[in-house]
Amino acid sequence: MPNTATLRPSGLGAGSLLTSLADLLHGWLPRQRWFAGKGRPVTELALLSVTELHPGCLHLLVHAGHAEPPSGEHPLHDCYQLLLGAHETLPPHLAPAAIGRPTEGPLAGLMVYDALQDPRSAALLLERLRTPGTAGALAFERDAKVLLPSGLTPRLLDAEQSNSSVVYGDTYILKVFRRVQPGINPDLEVPGALARQGCTRVPAPVAWVRTSLPWDATLAVLQPYLRGAEDGWAQALGTLASGADFTDEAYELGRATAEVHLALAAAFPLEYPDRRQHRELASAMRDRIDAVARAVPQLQPYAPALGSAVGALAGLDAARPAQRIHGDLHLGQVLRTGGRWHLIDFEGEPARPLPERRRAQSPIRDVAGMLRSFDYAARTGRPWRPEWSQRCREAYCAGYAAAAGWDPRQEPELLRAHETDRAVYEVLYEARHRPDWLPVPMAAITRLAERPPAGSRRPTP
Ligand SMILES: Nc1ncnc2c1ncn2[C@@H]1O[C@H](COP(=O)(O)OP(=O)(O)O)[C@@H](O)[C@H]1O
Ligand SMILES: O=P(O)(O)O[C@H]1O[C@H](CO)[C@@H](O[C@H]2O[C@H](CO)[C@@H](O)[C@H](O)[C@H]2O)[C@H](O)[C@H]1O
């Protein structure tokens, strides 16, 4: 590659590399779908680690900090994973990957670009995983039982994602985590544990990338690609458009969720929350309502009523044991192939700290996430179809009950509290990422803020 710059970290010095890139990253990072600090200017940038993956391709962990915004939210600090290439000129197929041409520092005059969009760099990543080893602080590891084939053609997914994924020859998919936190990522930990339980509802990790600098963290996970699978969101919208029924699928989805929960309960320790823990959970949910209401003024009028909905948790005695769960379950996280549902993306809610996402939680939280998703689908399709959502919600709970042996509808306070917490999360998510969608969770907020009928033990799910 005659016009490839050799980016040698040893010859670059983190300071001078950052000088080269800082202006470009200030502009480029906030435009990325996976950038978490939407709406907040980046006020600090620091390079946490730099590794040369191959000549012309650098692996970077970059710290991006935001000053405290006027709304009173906490300052946000994040670490992002970048793969950067630099060429004198970019071939036309890499034009959309361009980040910019630094005017100073070691990369001055070269065109820096997002190397994950470069098929050559993506192919070399898979090569690294085929033959385990290290590159600086990065470790490329794989399941010793799996032999990865060479020469699979890479293609970067252009899905609306929180991370970036590369599909190799429709055989494997590599998820490169964009936002990196210290510790094992649950998207490696949980599917690995489920595979050891013999659970076939979740694709098992076959290879992964870790780093030990600036701390131990998971950087990427490779798993089998479910060829021809369609996600639940696309299917749900399809039936809404065609008028077809989705209740059988919703019932099967409930069964699949329960099966995964049973396997998770067997794989990880259970916890039995007492009254104090329920009070703490209710208080954490109230804090979240207040924080989101400060950031999204539309939520403010509903905050007191939502606080009462989650406050009902505080009076609960022993409920279901808490266990590891999916943590961000919705119709986009379930794939159907061969008439069978699979669950993917066990990262949990990307905005939450990793230790919180790895905690045992009520399985009702996942149920609530999926119930919210039926509501999303019914409101996104035109016209609004509340009866479609209601039938799916009932069928999903019935399917769940058939496999789990208990019915989520028998825990109405818990379900309502978790659905409220989830809708509040969605309000912030939409305000940050897709302001046009804000009315969807806000409609649920209006419903959840109403008092449930007196004496009702089994409100509509
Ligand atoms: N094992 C898989 N087989 C087929 N497609 C997959 C698989 N894993 C993920 N996908 C596709 O990639 C998309 C993004 O994956 P996901 O894990 O949800 O990433 P993110 O956390 O970045 O949103 C999914 O919506 C799905 O379409
Ligand atoms: O990127 P992830 O899939 O990890 O999840 C985030 O993005 C989701 C949207 O892509 C968001 O889900 C919300 O919108 C969905 C429709 O697009 C809907 O089905 C979900 O019920 C709703 O929560 C998810 O909350 C967010 O974490």
Side-chain angles (χ1 to χ4, degrees), residues 33 160-162 233 328-333 345 347-350 369-370 372-374 376-377 422 425-426 429-430 434 437:
R33 162 68 170 81
E160 280 274 296
Q161 271 189 266
S162 303
W233 179 252
D328 187 18
L329 195 61
H330 57 82
L331 283 163
Q333 312 281 41
D345 193 2
E347 255 199 292
E349 287 171 7
M370 193 55 82
R372 290 285 316 115
S373 213
F374 292 126
Y376 253 76
R422 179 78 194 165
Y425 163 79
E426 288 168 344
Y429 179 87
E430 300 302 357
R434 307 183 292 193
W437 289 55

PDB file of all heavy atoms in Angstrom, residues 33 160-162 233 328-333 345 347-350 369-370 372-374 376-377 422 425-426 429-430 434 437, ligand 2:
ATOM      1  N   ARG A  33     -23.390   7.721  15.857  1.00  0.00           N
ATOM      2  CA  ARG A  33     -24.598   7.163  16.460  1.00  0.00           C
ATOM      3  C   ARG A  33     -24.313   6.627  17.869  1.00  0.00           C
ATOM      4  O   ARG A  33     -25.125   6.708  18.774  1.00  0.00           O
ATOM      5  CB  ARG A  33     -25.120   6.044  15.536  1.00  0.00           C
ATOM      6  CG  ARG A  33     -26.102   5.045  16.127  1.00  0.00           C
ATOM      7  CD  ARG A  33     -27.446   5.674  16.447  1.00  0.00           C
ATOM      8  NE  ARG A  33     -28.478   4.712  16.795  1.00  0.00           N
ATOM      9  CZ  ARG A  33     -28.600   4.168  17.991  1.00  0.00           C
ATOM     10  NH1 ARG A  33     -27.760   4.454  18.953  1.00  0.00           N
ATOM     11  NH2 ARG A  33     -29.582   3.320  18.228  1.00  0.00           N
ATOM     12  N   GLU A 160     -28.758   1.028  13.102  1.00  0.00           N
ATOM     13  CA  GLU A 160     -28.763   2.027  14.169  1.00  0.00           C
ATOM     14  C   GLU A 160     -28.270   1.320  15.411  1.00  0.00           C
ATOM     15  O   GLU A 160     -28.992   0.583  16.065  1.00  0.00           O
ATOM     16  CB  GLU A 160     -30.204   2.487  14.420  1.00  0.00           C
ATOM     17  CG  GLU A 160     -30.727   3.487  13.467  1.00  0.00           C
ATOM     18  CD  GLU A 160     -30.358   4.897  13.903  1.00  0.00           C
ATOM     19  OE1 GLU A 160     -30.818   5.315  14.959  1.00  0.00           O
ATOM     20  OE2 GLU A 160     -29.571   5.537  13.199  1.00  0.00           O
ATOM     21  N   GLN A 161     -27.021   1.517  15.759  1.00  0.00           N
ATOM     22  CA  GLN A 161     -26.444   0.709  16.829  1.00  0.00           C
ATOM     23  C   GLN A 161     -25.793   1.553  17.900  1.00  0.00           C
ATOM     24  O   GLN A 161     -25.380   2.675  17.639  1.00  0.00           O
ATOM     25  CB  GLN A 161     -25.344  -0.174  16.235  1.00  0.00           C
ATOM     26  CG  GLN A 161     -25.783  -1.499  15.715  1.00  0.00           C
ATOM     27  CD  GLN A 161     -24.560  -2.331  15.361  1.00  0.00           C
ATOM     28  OE1 GLN A 161     -24.123  -2.345  14.225  1.00  0.00           O
ATOM     29  NE2 GLN A 161     -24.011  -3.009  16.348  1.00  0.00           N
ATOM     30  N   SER A 162     -25.641   0.940  19.075  1.00  0.00           N
ATOM     31  CA  SER A 162     -24.882   1.593  20.146  1.00  0.00           C
ATOM     32  C   SER A 162     -23.398   1.287  19.989  1.00  0.00           C
ATOM     33  O   SER A 162     -22.557   1.892  20.647  1.00  0.00           O
ATOM     34  CB  SER A 162     -25.344   1.096  21.506  1.00  0.00           C
ATOM     35  OG  SER A 162     -26.712   1.305  21.657  1.00  0.00           O
ATOM     36  N   TRP A 233     -38.543  -6.413  15.880  1.00  0.00           N
ATOM     37  CA  TRP A 233     -39.073  -5.083  15.549  1.00  0.00           C
ATOM     38  C   TRP A 233     -39.574  -5.060  14.105  1.00  0.00           C
ATOM     39  O   TRP A 233     -40.698  -4.636  13.827  1.00  0.00           O
ATOM     40  CB  TRP A 233     -37.966  -4.049  15.770  1.00  0.00           C
ATOM     41  CG  TRP A 233     -38.344  -2.652  15.459  1.00  0.00           C
ATOM     42  CD1 TRP A 233     -37.928  -1.910  14.405  1.00  0.00           C
ATOM     43  CD2 TRP A 233     -39.230  -1.800  16.210  1.00  0.00           C
ATOM     44  NE1 TRP A 233     -38.481  -0.654  14.447  1.00  0.00           N
ATOM     45  CE2 TRP A 233     -39.287  -0.560  15.534  1.00  0.00           C
ATOM     46  CE3 TRP A 233     -39.985  -1.976  17.375  1.00  0.00           C
ATOM     47  CZ2 TRP A 233     -40.070   0.504  16.000  1.00  0.00           C
ATOM     48  CZ3 TRP A 233     -40.761  -0.921  17.830  1.00  0.00           C
ATOM     49  CH2 TRP A 233     -40.795   0.297  17.150  1.00  0.00           C
ATOM     50  N   ASP A 328     -31.818  -5.015  28.774  1.00  0.00           N
ATOM     51  CA  ASP A 328     -32.267  -3.985  27.801  1.00  0.00           C
ATOM     52  C   ASP A 328     -33.105  -4.695  26.740  1.00  0.00           C
ATOM     53  O   ASP A 328     -32.895  -4.541  25.545  1.00  0.00           O
ATOM     54  CB  ASP A 328     -31.048  -3.294  27.166  1.00  0.00           C
ATOM     55  CG  ASP A 328     -31.437  -2.099  26.281  1.00  0.00           C
ATOM     56  OD1 ASP A 328     -32.572  -1.603  26.419  1.00  0.00           O
ATOM     57  OD2 ASP A 328     -30.608  -1.669  25.460  1.00  0.00           O
ATOM     58  N   LEU A 329     -34.068  -5.490  27.230  1.00  0.00           N
ATOM     59  CA  LEU A 329     -34.794  -6.350  26.290  1.00  0.00           C
ATOM     60  C   LEU A 329     -35.875  -5.555  25.545  1.00  0.00           C
ATOM     61  O   LEU A 329     -36.687  -4.873  26.154  1.00  0.00           O
ATOM     62  CB  LEU A 329     -35.433  -7.518  27.059  1.00  0.00           C
ATOM     63  CG  LEU A 329     -35.911  -8.674  26.190  1.00  0.00           C
ATOM     64  CD1 LEU A 329     -34.761  -9.310  25.413  1.00  0.00           C
ATOM     65  CD2 LEU A 329     -36.602  -9.739  27.034  1.00  0.00           C
ATOM     66  N   HIS A 330     -35.818  -5.655  24.231  1.00  0.00           N
ATOM     67  CA  HIS A 330     -36.857  -5.040  23.399  1.00  0.00           C
ATOM     68  C   HIS A 330     -36.888  -5.796  22.076  1.00  0.00           C
ATOM     69  O   HIS A 330     -36.073  -6.710  21.839  1.00  0.00           O
ATOM     70  CB  HIS A 330     -36.646  -3.535  23.229  1.00  0.00           C
ATOM     71  CG  HIS A 330     -35.323  -3.124  22.640  1.00  0.00           C
ATOM     72  ND1 HIS A 330     -35.071  -3.135  21.293  1.00  0.00           N
ATOM     73  CD2 HIS A 330     -34.177  -2.677  23.216  1.00  0.00           C
ATOM     74  CE1 HIS A 330     -33.843  -2.699  21.062  1.00  0.00           C
ATOM     75  NE2 HIS A 330     -33.265  -2.426  22.217  1.00  0.00           N
ATOM     76  N   LEU A 331     -37.834  -5.421  21.198  1.00  0.00           N
ATOM     77  CA  LEU A 331     -38.041  -6.218  19.977  1.00  0.00           C
ATOM     78  C   LEU A 331     -36.831  -6.210  19.048  1.00  0.00           C
ATOM     79  O   LEU A 331     -36.667  -7.111  18.221  1.00  0.00           O
ATOM     80  CB  LEU A 331     -39.288  -5.713  19.238  1.00  0.00           C
ATOM     81  CG  LEU A 331     -40.614  -6.150  19.855  1.00  0.00           C
ATOM     82  CD1 LEU A 331     -41.768  -5.289  19.327  1.00  0.00           C
ATOM     83  CD2 LEU A 331     -40.893  -7.633  19.573  1.00  0.00           C
ATOM     84  N   GLY A 332     -35.969  -5.178  19.179  1.00  0.00           N
ATOM     85  CA  GLY A 332     -34.760  -5.140  18.343  1.00  0.00           C
ATOM     86  C   GLY A 332     -33.682  -6.109  18.827  1.00  0.00           C
ATOM     87  O   GLY A 332     -32.674  -6.305  18.153  1.00  0.00           O
ATOM     88  N   GLN A 333     -33.868  -6.716  19.987  1.00  0.00           N
ATOM     89  CA  GLN A 333     -32.848  -7.596  20.574  1.00  0.00           C
ATOM     90  C   GLN A 333     -33.212  -9.069  20.423  1.00  0.00           C
ATOM     91  O   GLN A 333     -32.609  -9.912  21.088  1.00  0.00           O
ATOM     92  CB  GLN A 333     -32.698  -7.325  22.089  1.00  0.00           C
ATOM     93  CG  GLN A 333     -32.570  -5.863  22.461  1.00  0.00           C
ATOM     94  CD  GLN A 333     -31.177  -5.332  22.220  1.00  0.00           C
ATOM     95  OE1 GLN A 333     -30.575  -5.662  21.205  1.00  0.00           O
ATOM     96  NE2 GLN A 333     -30.670  -4.534  23.111  1.00  0.00           N
ATOM     97  N   ASP A 345     -27.431  -9.350  22.415  1.00  0.00           N
ATOM     98  CA  ASP A 345     -27.060  -8.056  23.009  1.00  0.00           C
ATOM     99  C   ASP A 345     -27.337  -7.996  24.513  1.00  0.00           C
ATOM    100  O   ASP A 345     -28.276  -7.317  24.955  1.00  0.00           O
ATOM    101  CB  ASP A 345     -27.780  -6.917  22.265  1.00  0.00           C
ATOM    102  CG  ASP A 345     -27.195  -5.566  22.636  1.00  0.00           C
ATOM    103  OD1 ASP A 345     -26.232  -5.527  23.432  1.00  0.00           O
ATOM    104  OD2 ASP A 345     -27.702  -4.542  22.144  1.00  0.00           O
ATOM    105  N   GLU A 347     -25.623  -6.563  26.745  1.00  0.00           N
ATOM    106  CA  GLU A 347     -24.861  -5.465  27.353  1.00  0.00           C
ATOM    107  C   GLU A 347     -25.625  -4.733  28.440  1.00  0.00           C
ATOM    108  O   GLU A 347     -25.044  -4.013  29.235  1.00  0.00           O
ATOM    109  CB  GLU A 347     -24.553  -4.436  26.261  1.00  0.00           C
ATOM    110  CG  GLU A 347     -23.148  -4.443  25.793  1.00  0.00           C
ATOM    111  CD  GLU A 347     -22.859  -3.132  25.099  1.00  0.00           C
ATOM    112  OE1 GLU A 347     -23.421  -2.895  24.019  1.00  0.00           O
ATOM    113  OE2 GLU A 347     -22.088  -2.367  25.655  1.00  0.00           O
ATOM    114  N   GLY A 348     -26.951  -4.829  28.448  1.00  0.00           N
ATOM    115  CA  GLY A 348     -27.749  -4.017  29.372  1.00  0.00           C
ATOM    116  C   GLY A 348     -27.916  -2.612  28.819  1.00  0.00           C
ATOM    117  O   GLY A 348     -27.516  -2.328  27.689  1.00  0.00           O
ATOM    118  N   GLU A 349     -28.534  -1.746  29.627  1.00  0.00           N
ATOM    119  CA  GLU A 349     -28.762  -0.372  29.151  1.00  0.00           C
ATOM    120  C   GLU A 349     -27.419   0.333  29.058  1.00  0.00           C
ATOM    121  O   GLU A 349     -26.721   0.493  30.061  1.00  0.00           O
ATOM    122  CB  GLU A 349     -29.699   0.372  30.101  1.00  0.00           C
ATOM    123  CG  GLU A 349     -31.128  -0.109  29.975  1.00  0.00           C
ATOM    124  CD  GLU A 349     -32.051   0.457  31.042  1.00  0.00           C
ATOM    125  OE1 GLU A 349     -31.617   1.326  31.816  1.00  0.00           O
ATOM    126  OE2 GLU A 349     -33.209   0.014  31.082  1.00  0.00           O
ATOM    127  N   PRO A 350     -27.027   0.737  27.817  1.00  0.00           N
ATOM    128  CA  PRO A 350     -25.674   1.243  27.616  1.00  0.00           C
ATOM    129  C   PRO A 350     -25.327   2.444  28.503  1.00  0.00           C
ATOM    130  O   PRO A 350     -24.155   2.655  28.804  1.00  0.00           O
ATOM    131  CB  PRO A 350     -25.639   1.641  26.136  1.00  0.00           C
ATOM    132  CG  PRO A 350     -26.922   1.190  25.522  1.00  0.00           C
ATOM    133  CD  PRO A 350     -27.842   0.722  26.599  1.00  0.00           C
ATOM    134  N   GLY A 369     -39.504  -4.507  29.759  1.00  0.00           N
ATOM    135  CA  GLY A 369     -38.846  -3.964  28.561  1.00  0.00           C
ATOM    136  C   GLY A 369     -39.567  -4.416  27.305  1.00  0.00           C
ATOM    137  O   GLY A 369     -39.813  -3.624  26.382  1.00  0.00           O
ATOM    138  N   MET A 370     -39.934  -5.691  27.257  1.00  0.00           N
ATOM    139  CA  MET A 370     -40.599  -6.202  26.047  1.00  0.00           C
ATOM    140  C   MET A 370     -42.027  -5.659  25.946  1.00  0.00           C
ATOM    141  O   MET A 370     -42.492  -5.330  24.848  1.00  0.00           O
ATOM    142  CB  MET A 370     -40.585  -7.739  26.075  1.00  0.00           C
ATOM    143  CG  MET A 370     -40.955  -8.351  24.763  1.00  0.00           C
ATOM    144  SD  MET A 370     -39.940  -7.792  23.366  1.00  0.00           S
ATOM    145  CE  MET A 370     -38.511  -8.831  23.558  1.00  0.00           C
ATOM    146  N   ARG A 372     -42.986  -2.774  26.904  1.00  0.00           N
ATOM    147  CA  ARG A 372     -42.823  -1.415  26.380  1.00  0.00           C
ATOM    148  C   ARG A 372     -42.609  -1.454  24.857  1.00  0.00           C
ATOM    149  O   ARG A 372     -43.053  -0.591  24.129  1.00  0.00           O
ATOM    150  CB  ARG A 372     -41.610  -0.725  27.048  1.00  0.00           C
ATOM    151  CG  ARG A 372     -41.779  -0.380  28.505  1.00  0.00           C
ATOM    152  CD  ARG A 372     -42.677   0.835  28.708  1.00  0.00           C
ATOM    153  NE  ARG A 372     -42.333   1.877  27.764  1.00  0.00           N
ATOM    154  CZ  ARG A 372     -43.142   2.308  26.798  1.00  0.00           C
ATOM    155  NH1 ARG A 372     -44.372   1.831  26.690  1.00  0.00           N
ATOM    156  NH2 ARG A 372     -42.746   3.234  25.950  1.00  0.00           N
ATOM    157  N   SER A 373     -41.912  -2.468  24.419  1.00  0.00           N
ATOM    158  CA  SER A 373     -41.572  -2.539  23.003  1.00  0.00           C
ATOM    159  C   SER A 373     -42.818  -2.780  22.141  1.00  0.00           C
ATOM    160  O   SER A 373     -42.918  -2.249  21.032  1.00  0.00           O
ATOM    161  CB  SER A 373     -40.561  -3.661  22.793  1.00  0.00           C
ATOM    162  OG  SER A 373     -39.688  -3.350  21.765  1.00  0.00           O
ATOM    163  N   PHE A 374     -43.765  -3.596  22.644  1.00  0.00           N
ATOM    164  CA  PHE A 374     -45.020  -3.781  21.885  1.00  0.00           C
ATOM    165  C   PHE A 374     -45.740  -2.431  21.766  1.00  0.00           C
ATOM    166  O   PHE A 374     -46.314  -2.109  20.728  1.00  0.00           O
ATOM    167  CB  PHE A 374     -45.923  -4.808  22.578  1.00  0.00           C
ATOM    168  CG  PHE A 374     -45.361  -6.210  22.541  1.00  0.00           C
ATOM    169  CD1 PHE A 374     -45.203  -6.949  23.710  1.00  0.00           C
ATOM    170  CD2 PHE A 374     -44.986  -6.803  21.340  1.00  0.00           C
ATOM    171  CE1 PHE A 374     -44.674  -8.234  23.680  1.00  0.00           C
ATOM    172  CE2 PHE A 374     -44.464  -8.088  21.300  1.00  0.00           C
ATOM    173  CZ  PHE A 374     -44.312  -8.806  22.480  1.00  0.00           C
ATOM    174  N   TYR A 376     -44.288   0.518  21.772  1.00  0.00           N
ATOM    175  CA  TYR A 376     -43.527   1.299  20.794  1.00  0.00           C
ATOM    176  C   TYR A 376     -43.974   0.943  19.374  1.00  0.00           C
ATOM    177  O   TYR A 376     -44.223   1.811  18.553  1.00  0.00           O
ATOM    178  CB  TYR A 376     -42.035   0.976  20.915  1.00  0.00           C
ATOM    179  CG  TYR A 376     -41.171   2.037  21.548  1.00  0.00           C
ATOM    180  CD1 TYR A 376     -41.179   2.224  22.931  1.00  0.00           C
ATOM    181  CD2 TYR A 376     -40.319   2.822  20.790  1.00  0.00           C
ATOM    182  CE1 TYR A 376     -40.350   3.164  23.524  1.00  0.00           C
ATOM    183  CE2 TYR A 376     -39.494   3.773  21.375  1.00  0.00           C
ATOM    184  CZ  TYR A 376     -39.516   3.940  22.739  1.00  0.00           C
ATOM    185  OH  TYR A 376     -38.694   4.870  23.320  1.00  0.00           O
ATOM    186  N   ALA A 377     -44.025  -0.373  19.105  1.00  0.00           N
ATOM    187  CA  ALA A 377     -44.362  -0.808  17.747  1.00  0.00           C
ATOM    188  C   ALA A 377     -45.766  -0.334  17.382  1.00  0.00           C
ATOM    189  O   ALA A 377     -45.991   0.198  16.283  1.00  0.00           O
ATOM    190  CB  ALA A 377     -44.254  -2.328  17.643  1.00  0.00           C
ATOM    191  N   ARG A 422     -38.454   1.868  33.077  1.00  0.00           N
ATOM    192  CA  ARG A 422     -38.024   1.654  31.695  1.00  0.00           C
ATOM    193  C   ARG A 422     -38.493   2.812  30.791  1.00  0.00           C
ATOM    194  O   ARG A 422     -37.748   3.302  29.950  1.00  0.00           O
ATOM    195  CB  ARG A 422     -38.608   0.304  31.247  1.00  0.00           C
ATOM    196  CG  ARG A 422     -38.318  -0.101  29.858  1.00  0.00           C
ATOM    197  CD  ARG A 422     -36.928  -0.649  29.699  1.00  0.00           C
ATOM    198  NE  ARG A 422     -36.616  -0.698  28.285  1.00  0.00           N
ATOM    199  CZ  ARG A 422     -35.421  -0.859  27.767  1.00  0.00           C
ATOM    200  NH1 ARG A 422     -34.375  -1.021  28.558  1.00  0.00           N
ATOM    201  NH2 ARG A 422     -35.232  -0.878  26.486  1.00  0.00           N
ATOM    202  N   TYR A 425     -36.330   5.744  31.375  1.00  0.00           N
ATOM    203  CA  TYR A 425     -35.058   5.556  30.651  1.00  0.00           C
ATOM    204  C   TYR A 425     -35.249   5.913  29.169  1.00  0.00           C
ATOM    205  O   TYR A 425     -34.427   6.595  28.556  1.00  0.00           O
ATOM    206  CB  TYR A 425     -34.598   4.098  30.808  1.00  0.00           C
ATOM    207  CG  TYR A 425     -33.554   3.679  29.797  1.00  0.00           C
ATOM    208  CD1 TYR A 425     -32.216   4.032  29.963  1.00  0.00           C
ATOM    209  CD2 TYR A 425     -33.907   2.955  28.655  1.00  0.00           C
ATOM    210  CE1 TYR A 425     -31.253   3.676  29.023  1.00  0.00           C
ATOM    211  CE2 TYR A 425     -32.962   2.590  27.716  1.00  0.00           C
ATOM    212  CZ  TYR A 425     -31.639   2.946  27.895  1.00  0.00           C
ATOM    213  OH  TYR A 425     -30.697   2.592  26.955  1.00  0.00           O
ATOM    214  N   GLU A 426     -36.374   5.439  28.604  1.00  0.00           N
ATOM    215  CA  GLU A 426     -36.618   5.678  27.172  1.00  0.00           C
ATOM    216  C   GLU A 426     -36.808   7.167  26.870  1.00  0.00           C
ATOM    217  O   GLU A 426     -36.405   7.641  25.800  1.00  0.00           O
ATOM    218  CB  GLU A 426     -37.850   4.880  26.726  1.00  0.00           C
ATOM    219  CG  GLU A 426     -37.558   3.387  26.666  1.00  0.00           C
ATOM    220  CD  GLU A 426     -38.805   2.513  26.514  1.00  0.00           C
ATOM    221  OE1 GLU A 426     -39.929   3.004  26.751  1.00  0.00           O
ATOM    222  OE2 GLU A 426     -38.658   1.334  26.195  1.00  0.00           O
ATOM    223  N   TYR A 429     -33.413   8.442  26.635  1.00  0.00           N
ATOM    224  CA  TYR A 429     -32.781   7.883  25.436  1.00  0.00           C
ATOM    225  C   TYR A 429     -33.273   8.622  24.180  1.00  0.00           C
ATOM    226  O   TYR A 429     -32.484   9.046  23.341  1.00  0.00           O
ATOM    227  CB  TYR A 429     -33.082   6.375  25.334  1.00  0.00           C
ATOM    228  CG  TYR A 429     -32.479   5.768  24.099  1.00  0.00           C
ATOM    229  CD1 TYR A 429     -31.165   5.306  24.110  1.00  0.00           C
ATOM    230  CD2 TYR A 429     -33.193   5.708  22.908  1.00  0.00           C
ATOM    231  CE1 TYR A 429     -30.585   4.797  22.966  1.00  0.00           C
ATOM    232  CE2 TYR A 429     -32.623   5.195  21.763  1.00  0.00           C
ATOM    233  CZ  TYR A 429     -31.323   4.737  21.798  1.00  0.00           C
ATOM    234  OH  TYR A 429     -30.746   4.245  20.652  1.00  0.00           O
ATOM    235  N   GLU A 430     -34.586   8.784  24.079  1.00  0.00           N
ATOM    236  CA  GLU A 430     -35.136   9.427  22.874  1.00  0.00           C
ATOM    237  C   GLU A 430     -34.765  10.903  22.830  1.00  0.00           C
ATOM    238  O   GLU A 430     -34.436  11.433  21.760  1.00  0.00           O
ATOM    239  CB  GLU A 430     -36.661   9.250  22.797  1.00  0.00           C
ATOM    240  CG  GLU A 430     -37.153   7.798  22.752  1.00  0.00           C
ATOM    241  CD  GLU A 430     -36.602   6.970  21.599  1.00  0.00           C
ATOM    242  OE1 GLU A 430     -35.857   7.498  20.748  1.00  0.00           O
ATOM    243  OE2 GLU A 430     -36.906   5.761  21.563  1.00  0.00           O
ATOM    244  N   ARG A 434     -33.076  10.464  19.569  1.00  0.00           N
ATOM    245  CA  ARG A 434     -34.066  10.590  18.491  1.00  0.00           C
ATOM    246  C   ARG A 434     -35.225  11.465  18.984  1.00  0.00           C
ATOM    247  O   ARG A 434     -36.323  10.954  19.261  1.00  0.00           O
ATOM    248  CB  ARG A 434     -34.632   9.208  18.117  1.00  0.00           C
ATOM    249  CG  ARG A 434     -33.604   8.152  17.791  1.00  0.00           C
ATOM    250  CD  ARG A 434     -34.235   6.827  17.362  1.00  0.00           C
ATOM    251  NE  ARG A 434     -34.953   6.146  18.432  1.00  0.00           N
ATOM    252  CZ  ARG A 434     -35.359   4.879  18.378  1.00  0.00           C
ATOM    253  NH1 ARG A 434     -35.096   4.156  17.304  1.00  0.00           N
ATOM    254  NH2 ARG A 434     -36.016   4.331  19.394  1.00  0.00           N
ATOM    255  N   TRP A 437     -38.872  10.850  18.360  1.00  0.00           N
ATOM    256  CA  TRP A 437     -39.548   9.694  18.947  1.00  0.00           C
ATOM    257  C   TRP A 437     -40.002   9.941  20.386  1.00  0.00           C
ATOM    258  O   TRP A 437     -40.647   9.076  20.983  1.00  0.00           O
ATOM    259  CB  TRP A 437     -38.614   8.476  18.953  1.00  0.00           C
ATOM    260  CG  TRP A 437     -38.341   7.877  17.626  1.00  0.00           C
ATOM    261  CD1 TRP A 437     -37.853   8.506  16.523  1.00  0.00           C
ATOM    262  CD2 TRP A 437     -38.534   6.502  17.235  1.00  0.00           C
ATOM    263  NE1 TRP A 437     -37.713   7.615  15.476  1.00  0.00           N
ATOM    264  CE2 TRP A 437     -38.129   6.378  15.899  1.00  0.00           C
ATOM    265  CE3 TRP A 437     -38.998   5.359  17.900  1.00  0.00           C
ATOM    266  CZ2 TRP A 437     -38.184   5.166  15.198  1.00  0.00           C
ATOM    267  CZ3 TRP A 437     -39.046   4.157  17.218  1.00  0.00           C
ATOM    268  CH2 TRP A 437     -38.644   4.066  15.883  1.00  0.00           C
TER     269      TRP A 437
HETATM  270  O1  LIG B   2     -28.849   0.135  20.957  1.00  0.00           O
HETATM  271  P1  LIG B   2     -29.598  -0.898  21.750  1.00  0.00           P
HETATM  272  O2  LIG B   2     -30.365  -1.849  20.910  1.00  0.00           O
HETATM  273  O3  LIG B   2     -28.728  -1.526  22.774  1.00  0.00           O
HETATM  274  O4  LIG B   2     -30.764  -0.153  22.605  1.00  0.00           O
HETATM  275  C1  LIG B   2     -30.954   1.246  22.611  1.00  0.00           C
HETATM  276  O5  LIG B   2     -31.579   1.647  21.393  1.00  0.00           O
HETATM  277  C2  LIG B   2     -32.932   1.153  21.184  1.00  0.00           C
HETATM  278  C3  LIG B   2     -33.445   1.744  19.867  1.00  0.00           C
HETATM  279  O6  LIG B   2     -32.671   1.313  18.812  1.00  0.00           O
HETATM  280  C4  LIG B   2     -33.832   1.590  22.326  1.00  0.00           C
HETATM  281  O7  LIG B   2     -35.106   0.942  22.158  1.00  0.00           O
HETATM  282  C5  LIG B   2     -36.277   1.740  22.120  1.00  0.00           C
HETATM  283  O8  LIG B   2     -36.713   1.827  20.764  1.00  0.00           O
HETATM  284  C6  LIG B   2     -37.084   0.564  20.180  1.00  0.00           C
HETATM  285  C7  LIG B   2     -37.590   0.852  18.766  1.00  0.00           C
HETATM  286  O9  LIG B   2     -36.546   1.380  17.985  1.00  0.00           O
HETATM  287  C8  LIG B   2     -38.187  -0.120  20.993  1.00  0.00           C
HETATM  288  O10 LIG B   2     -38.471  -1.409  20.442  1.00  0.00           O
HETATM  289  C9  LIG B   2     -37.735  -0.280  22.425  1.00  0.00           C
HETATM  290  O11 LIG B   2     -38.793  -0.834  23.203  1.00  0.00           O
HETATM  291  C10 LIG B   2     -37.334   1.072  22.988  1.00  0.00           C
HETATM  292  O12 LIG B   2     -36.811   0.917  24.310  1.00  0.00           O
HETATM  293  C11 LIG B   2     -33.256   1.095  23.639  1.00  0.00           C
HETATM  294  O13 LIG B   2     -34.066   1.583  24.702  1.00  0.00           O
HETATM  295  C12 LIG B   2     -31.818   1.634  23.803  1.00  0.00           C
HETATM  296  O14 LIG B   2     -31.241   1.122  24.990  1.00  0.00           O
END
